[in-house]
Amino acid sequence: QVCAQLCRRPCYCPWVPARCPRGSPLVLDGCGCCKICARRLGEPCDFLHVCDQSQGLVCDYSSASAGTGATCNFEEDEEGCEVNGRVYRDGEVFQPSCKIRCQCLDGGFNCIPLCQEDVRLPTPDCPYPRRVEIPGKCCPEWICEAQDQHLLRDARAASPLLPYPCQEWSTEWSACSATCGVGFATRVSNQNRYCRLETQRRLCLLGPCPALP
């Protein structure tokens, strides 16, 4: 009876296909007639506007009795997390980039860096180490450079308070300590008044934390 009331034959679909937001594929509507954008986690749904089954989502009518309408939810109340428009199941491991690997856990996600954040101090055989990006490689690598005379002059001009020339260098900023809300990132650097190695911190915010039920 529902199909007879909502589905018309033959199908009447717009000539131009719908433009879907990132992470929402084109699927057939509930009548199997026209292609529409699949609804994502937490979005409203009904018989016609179906959820993204490729992400394990179904139209959950449990909240419809409260007057809020049906929404897309994981089948059998599975928890998941959404990152950059894509939904991952609980326990699933994914890589947003080659430098970081994450795992979806209990509705949130934890990430670990894949590139070593090691610190290389100046040595006699490598007095001026510098970390650079290598084409074709994901993680930066340490290289040793010879310091030219013009760099010495530039360092003196830039740091008149120092009794000796200072070659500035620092490690990359670490990953944020929090996956949501305010956290901090750290690095080792000599970019200070006395050109001394020190651990520096700065605040970081990947995004707001989801509201607790």
Side-chain angles (χ1 to χ4, degrees), residues 104-123:
C104 182
L105 292 172
D106 299 328
F109 58 94
N110 295 329
C111 299
I112 59 172
L114 299 179
C115 297
Q116 292 185 354
E117 295 294 335
D118 56 330
V119 176
R120 182 164 184 173
L121 300 178
T123 57

Side-chain angles (χ1 to χ4, degrees), residues 20 25-29 34-39 50-53:
C20 300
L26 275 173
V27 295
L28 286 176
D29 60 17
C34 303
K35 285 195 172 184
I36 60 172
C37 298
R39 297 295 171 92
V50 296
C51 303
D52 186 2
Q53 294 183 357

Side-chain angles (χ1 to χ4, degrees), residues 168-188:
E168 290 187 350
W169 72 276
S170 62
T171 63
E172 300 290 336
W173 286 103
S174 68
C176 193
S177 62
T179 57
C180 68
V182 178
F184 62 87
T186 60
R187 73 172 182 178
V188 176

Side-chain angles (χ1 to χ4, degrees), residues 77-211:
D77 293 328
E78 287 188 20
E79 289 188 354
C81 52
E82 182 176 357
V83 182
N84 294 331
R86 181 174 174 182
V87 177
Y88 298 92
R89 295 194 177 194
D90 189 55
E92 185 175 355
V93 177
F94 59 97
Q95 283 190 225
S97 73
C98 64
K99 296 183 179 181
I100 193 170
R101 182 171 65 230
C102 305
Q103 184 179 22
C104 182
L105 292 172
D106 299 328
F109 58 94
N110 295 329
C111 299
I112 59 172
L114 299 179
C115 297
Q116 292 185 354
E117 295 294 335
D118 56 330
V119 176
R120 182 164 184 173
L121 300 178
T123 57
D125 60 332
C126 186
Y128 307 108
R130 190 164 67 94
R131 206 169 192 181
V132 297
E133 300 285 344
I134 306 297
K137 293 188 178 182
C138 177
C139 299
E141 296 183 2
W142 288 101
I143 63 170
C144 295
E145 285 189 342
Q147 192 176 40
D148 297 327
Q149 291 300 319
H150 71 275
L151 290 178
L152 288 170
R153 290 194 299 268
D154 292 344
R156 284 197 193 95
S159 306
L161 297 177
L162 297 177
Y164 56 90
C166 176
Q167 174 79 9
E168 290 187 350
W169 72 276
S170 62
T171 63
E172 300 290 336
W173 286 103
S174 68
C176 193
S177 62
T179 57
C180 68
V182 178
F184 62 87
T186 60
R187 73 172 182 178
V188 176
S189 174
N190 69 348
Q191 297 180 20
N192 53 61
R193 182 174 181 180
Y194 302 103
C195 195
R196 294 176 181 172
L197 290 177
E198 64 178 6
T199 300
Q200 300 175 345
R201 293 187 178 188
R202 69 177 180 184
L203 295 179
C204 51
L205 177 63
L206 296 181
C209 292

